[in-house]
């Protein structure tokens, strides 16, 4: 299978990726969640991603795995148009959120990003704001008025698994927290604007093992009512937190999706030899 | 390398090793050159202060604190301080008023220019505009002064009249005599224009170093460009903005010739910024030195010392504020 049809559309019976596409969510109906169709990305003249069609079902965790430089993080940015801030970046193809094109001519990008939140590799709380202000920063940025800020604050910090640790020091600066706490603060901040999708770009790569575990627990809990896409280099993490996995690979040319399936399938019986080699740590 | 130990034995364990280092000859020579260069600057500064103090000393001895609080300027016989009466209160207060007004007028333009250059235009246009901005900072102040006097003043006097008409009930906008030429307001407009380039240059530089990951975070939270700038860049750049503005304030306080052309010096302590009467220490010295007798020269030297001290204090305060705010921002 080269770059022929890697469509991960609803297909309950076909398990052969090469001939039709994988069923990520068997029997799922409608257009909930996030879908991409034929996404290409270029940096200047450099073609970095080729024909990526993936389906991220609602209320699931999808892991994007693959060696460095294969375009996973770039692809993640395409999902909420953050790649548009990279000079020279251009994309082709379509991205749908609950059936609506996010690249449509009438789409308000800032409003779209309220629905598709993002957590970055390096924790990036706003240092000039307190912990509480950080969590509520998105509301302020988007001019959203909330009746009960205190309960929203508690709810977001609780969902991010941070409430117990910071409830007595909400007035302290966000940068007074440890790296792991800062990352969970960033997750809480992303949750405050009630996104439907949360994109996470190697959220644990700068964290120690204990903090990593906490963030992973948070991811699993959040997936009960939101769609999560997480880029990770850590195979164990992908196995622990994700329901589905997409394996990205670049053979010198643009990055492509080699295989996408249920995580259990990717790790136990992948259909492509390269996937098997990668998840077993034989390269990358 | 010699090995030395701290002489005094300590109670807790063996003696601590002192840090020692044998410098070689070229290092010693370079150290001497660098030290001499640095010392030279300090020595010149001290000599200037000493010169002003020496020449103005008699004035301070004669008038004491009154030199700072009175506003009369009468050289008496012109030969000795006997019978003369000097005081710079009006000039000093005028200097501060004009400089502060210039800062207030310049501030929105400094923020706007800095943000525009760094976040609203492309690389190529930015390079062109930044070099134009730097050129503006290099325009001699006499040019600003001439332009202010010949071109700006007729219009600005009209603006001042309008402000006076509608806001005259605010004490500082009141005038006793309806002459709006050569007022502190017009001087401040010219000075404000003069400090925009220099303050923007410093501010833009700091704004450009705002952390990209935090800007991305603001965008990813559904922030508009203005939202991201407000949440990240403005707080981050606060110290740079303050530093740039205070650099401008330093320039505005000491500005001589542009003020000389656009301000009517009057020895009377007044707080009417639209009226054709103001004070300025630097311009006072420049305007009087040519025809001053021995006693007045002494007074002008003392005035120079006051101005020198004021600008030193402002710069000192500036560095404290900058270091304090940059700590908070990090």
């Amino acid at each position: 299978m080269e770059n022929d049809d890697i469509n991960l559309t609803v297909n309950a019976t076909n398990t052969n990726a090469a001939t039709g596409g994988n069923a990520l969510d068997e029997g799922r109906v409608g257009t909930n969640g996030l879908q991409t169709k034929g996404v290409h990305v270029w940096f200047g003249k450099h073609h970095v991603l080729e024909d990526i069609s993936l389906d991220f079902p609602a209320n699931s965790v999808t892991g994007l795995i693959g060696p460095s430089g294969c375009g996973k993080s770039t692809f993640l940015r395409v999902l909420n148009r953050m790649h548009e801030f990279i000079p020279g970046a251009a994309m082709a193809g379509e991205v749908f959120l609950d059936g609506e094109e996010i690249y449509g001519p009438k789409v308000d990008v800032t409003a779209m990003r309220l629905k598709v939140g993002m957590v970055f590799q390096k924790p990036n709380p706003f240092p000039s704001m307190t912990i509480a202000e950080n969590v509520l920063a998105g509301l302020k940025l988007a001019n959203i008025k909330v009746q009960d800020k205190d309960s929203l604050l508690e709810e977001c910090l609780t969902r991010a698994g941070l409430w117990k640790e910071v409830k007595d020091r909400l007035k302290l600066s966000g940068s007074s927290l440890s790296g792991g706490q800062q990352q969970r603060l960033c997750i809480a901040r992303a949750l405050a604007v009630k996104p439907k999708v949360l994109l996470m770009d190697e959220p644990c790569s700068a964290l120690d093992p204990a903090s990593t575990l906490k963030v992973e627990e948070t991811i699993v809990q959040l997936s009960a009512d939101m769609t999560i896409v997480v880029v990770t280099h850590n195979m164990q993490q992908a196995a622990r937190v994700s329901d589905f996995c997409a394996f990205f690979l670049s053979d010198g040319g643009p990055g492509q999706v080699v295989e996408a399936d249920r995580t259990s399938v990717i790790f136990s019986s992948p259909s492509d030899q390269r996937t098997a080699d990668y998840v077993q740590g034989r390269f990358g | 390398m010699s090995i030395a130990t701290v002489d005094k034995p300590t109670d807790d364990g063996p003696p601590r090793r002192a840090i020692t280092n044998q410098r070689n000859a070229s290092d010693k020579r370079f150290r001497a050159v660098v030290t001499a260069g640095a010392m030279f600057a300090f020595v010149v500064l001290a000599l200037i202060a000493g010169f002003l103090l020496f020449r103005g000393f008699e004035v301070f001895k004669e008038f004491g604190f009154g030199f700072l609080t009175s506003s009369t300027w009468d050289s008496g016989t012109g030969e000795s301080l006997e019978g003369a009466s000097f005081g710079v209160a009006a000039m000093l207060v005028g200097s501060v008023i004009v400089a502060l007004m210039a800062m207030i007028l310049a501030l929105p333009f400094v923020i706007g220019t800095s943000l525009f250059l760094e976040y609203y235009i492309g690389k190529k246009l930015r390079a062109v505009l930044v070099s134009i901005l730097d050129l503006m900072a290099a325009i001699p102040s006499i040019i600003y002064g001439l332009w202010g006097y010949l071109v700006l003043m007729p219009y600005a006097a009209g603006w001042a009249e309008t402000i006076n008409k509608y806001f005259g009930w605010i004490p500082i906008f009141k005038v006793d005599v309806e002459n709006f030429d050569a007022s502190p307001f017009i001087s401040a407009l010219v000075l404000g224009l003069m400090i925009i380039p220099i303050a923007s240059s410093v501010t833009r530089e700091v704004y450009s170093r705002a952390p990209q990951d935090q800007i991305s975070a603001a965008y990813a939270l559904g922030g508009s460009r203005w939202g991201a700038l407000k949440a990240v860049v403005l707080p981050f750049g606060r110290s740079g903005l303050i530093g740039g503005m205070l650099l401008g304030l330093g320039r505005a306080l000491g500005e001589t010739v542009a003020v000389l052309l656009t301000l009517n010096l009057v020895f009377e302590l007044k707080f009417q910024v639209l009226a054709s009467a103001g004070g300025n220490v630097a311009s006072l010295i420049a305007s009087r030195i040519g025809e001053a007798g021995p006693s007045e020269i002494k007074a002008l030297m003392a005035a120079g010392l006051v101005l020198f001290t004021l600008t030193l204090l402002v710069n000192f305060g500036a560095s404290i504020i900058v270091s304090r705010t940059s700590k908070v921002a990090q």
Side-chain angles (χ1 to χ4, degrees):
Chain A
M1 152 190 152
E2 280 308 313
N3 68 337
D4 46 350
D5 192 5
I6 321 169
N7 237 334
L8 300 165
T9 45
V10 180
N11 188 333
T13 52
N14 195 343
T15 51
N16 184 350
T19 58
N22 287 347
L24 278 192
D25 189 9
E26 289 172 29
R28 121 189 168 77
V29 287
T31 50
N32 280 339
L34 202 59
Q35 285 172 297
T36 71
K37 281 186 184 159
V39 166
H40 293 250
V41 177
W42 294 265
F43 288 154
K45 286 184 179 156
H46 186 49
H47 197 179
V48 290
L49 277 174
E50 186 174 23
D51 197 20
I52 312 292
S53 298
L54 285 173
D55 189 350
F56 306 96
N59 308 337
S60 70
V61 180
T62 305
L64 306 182
I65 58 172
S68 298
C70 62
K72 308 181 296 292
S73 293
T74 304
F75 178 68
L76 196 73
R77 280 174 164 66
V78 168
L79 299 181
N80 71 343
R81 298 180 61 171
M82 284 297 286
H83 74 286
E84 291 172 1
F85 294 108
I86 304 169
M91 70 84 73
E94 293 165 302
V95 179
F96 297 94
L97 173 63
D98 293 345
E100 309 250 354
E101 243 277 57
I102 69 165
Y103 285 87
K106 285 182 185 163
V107 170
D108 174 357
V109 185
T110 55
M112 181 276 293
R113 291 204 187 102
L114 289 174
K115 293 186 211 154
V116 188
M118 192 165 209
V119 174
F120 296 81
Q121 186 170 356
K122 200 177 133 226
N124 53 3
F126 299 125
S128 58
M129 300 184 190
T130 65
I131 292 171
E133 285 168 349
N134 259 288
V135 175
L136 302 172
L139 302 171
K140 210 174 157 193
L141 280 166
N143 279 325
I144 301 173
K145 297 272 179 288
V146 179
Q147 289 292 318
D148 192 352
K149 280 188 178 174
D150 290 339
S151 64
L152 178 70
L153 181 65
E154 181 172 349
E155 182 200 326
C156 295
L157 283 169
T158 307
R159 288 176 77 195
L162 192 61
W163 174 249
K164 281 186 189 138
E165 290 161 62
V166 301
K167 65 179 177 196
D168 297 323
R169 42 178 175 155
L170 295 169
K171 295 251 159 63
L172 291 185
S173 162
S175 46
S176 66
L177 299 174
S178 74
Q181 289 172 327
Q182 285 187 19
Q183 191 63 305
R184 280 177 282 147
L185 177 60
C186 292
I187 294 174
R189 182 176 68 183
L191 294 176
V193 293
K194 311 267 182 203
K196 293 179 172 177
V197 179
L198 194 57
L199 308 174
M200 307 177 102
D201 187 2
E202 296 183 49
C204 302
S205 67
L207 307 185
D208 64 277
S211 303
T212 300
L213 207 64
K214 284 220 165 117
V215 171
E216 286 180 5
E217 281 169 13
T218 303
I219 293 173
V220 172
Q221 280 162 14
L222 291 176
S223 69
D225 50 10
M226 65 196 304
T227 310
I228 295 178
V229 185
V230 53
V231 170
T232 180
H233 276 126
N234 182 331
M235 286 307 106
Q236 286 82 28
Q237 181 169 75
R240 281 194 297 263
V241 302
S242 69
D243 304 308
F244 306 100
C245 264
F247 174 50
F248 281 64
L249 187 64
S250 151
D251 52 1
Q256 297 167 349
V257 171
V258 171
E259 187 169 2
D261 211 320
R262 289 194 169 275
T263 301
S264 54
V265 175
I266 292 282
F267 278 85
S268 59
S269 52
S271 54
D272 193 290
Q273 186 56 38
R274 292 171 296 177
T275 313
D277 288 347
Y278 183 76
V279 298
Q280 285 159 25
R282 278 200 282 272
F283 78 96
Chain B
M1 286 286 247
S2 65
I3 294 168
T5 55
V6 175
D7 292 333
K8 206 173 145 200
T10 48
D11 297 336
D12 49 344
R16 310 294 193 262
R17 299 288 292 260
I19 298 167
T20 60
N21 190 10
Q22 200 70 45
R23 295 193 185 91
N24 66 21
S26 66
D27 192 22
K28 275 181 185 158
R29 278 197 298 274
F30 187 68
R31 175 179 282 255
V33 169
V34 170
T35 311
M39 284 304 125
F40 181 74
F42 285 114
V43 166
V44 168
L45 191 71
L47 284 175
I48 292 174
F51 162 76
L52 291 172
L53 199 60
F54 177 71
R55 298 294 297 269
F57 179 69
E58 251 181 279
V59 175
F60 283 111
K61 207 168 107 187
E62 182 76 25
F63 303 110
F65 204 61
F67 187 67
L68 293 179
T69 54
S70 97
S71 294
T72 51
W73 197 265
D74 176 9
S75 47
T77 62
E79 288 305 314
S80 79
L81 292 171
E82 209 74 41
S85 170
F86 294 115
V88 288
M91 297 296 119
L92 196 58
V93 170
S95 281
V96 174
I97 287 177
V98 171
L100 284 181
M101 276 177 71
M103 296 252 295
I104 293 166
L105 291 169
L107 184 65
F109 296 97
V110 170
I111 296 176
T113 307
S114 311
L115 289 179
F116 175 76
L117 287 175
E118 217 37 66
Y119 293 100
Y120 284 88
I121 51 170
K123 252 185 198 160
K124 279 181 193 161
L125 192 56
R126 179 189 310 154
V128 174
L129 291 180
V130 164
S131 48
I132 291 176
L133 194 68
D134 290 344
L135 271 180
M136 280 171 66
I139 296 177
S141 54
I142 181 74
I143 307 292
Y144 279 101
L146 278 177
W147 177 83
Y149 178 65
L150 294 172
V151 182
L152 180 70
M153 200 184 290
Y155 296 101
W159 305 337
E161 200 173 346
T162 312
I163 295 173
N164 173 255
K165 192 171 154 195
Y166 294 104
F167 297 99
W169 48 273
I170 303 173
I172 59 165
F173 294 140
K174 215 166 70 183
V175 292
D176 292 337
V177 184
E178 296 231 338
N179 179 1
F180 298 99
D181 280 337
S183 64
F185 169 69
I186 294 172
S187 254
L189 280 178
V190 175
L191 281 191
L193 271 176
M194 281 179 63
I195 63 179
I196 287 172
I198 191 158
S200 303
S201 171
V202 174
T203 309
R204 184 192 67 81
E205 189 69 34
V206 177
Y207 281 176
S208 74
R209 291 201 296 265
Q212 195 55 51
D213 62 332
Q214 284 170 31
I215 296 174
S216 295
Y219 282 133
L221 282 170
S224 59
R225 180 163 303 193
W226 163 234
L229 295 181
K230 201 167 64 165
V232 180
V233 178
L234 291 184
F236 175 86
R238 195 173 294 145
S239 66
L241 179 65
I242 293 173
M245 289 309 290
L246 288 176
L247 201 66
L249 178 65
R251 185 169 185 194
L253 273 177
E255 178 50 43
T256 308
V257 70
V259 177
L260 193 60
L261 286 173
T262 53
L263 185 64
N264 187 18
L265 295 181
V266 173
F267 290 96
E268 188 184 348
L269 196 53
K270 263 190 183 178
F271 296 92
Q272 300 180 350
V273 298
L274 299 178
S276 178
N280 191 278
V281 180
S283 299
L284 166 77
I285 299 171
S287 66
R288 307 293 295 194
I289 195 83
E291 54 200 53
S295 69
E296 191 173 359
I297 285 192
K298 283 176 190 159
L300 292 175
M301 290 298 162
L305 182 63
V306 170
L307 181 64
F308 180 78
T309 315
L310 180 66
T311 45
L312 269 190
L313 285 178
V314 165
N315 281 316
F316 188 59
S319 55
I320 290 177
I321 292 172
V322 169
S323 65
R324 198 176 285 168
T325 47
S326 55
K327 252 182 236 153
V328 173
Q330 295 316 312

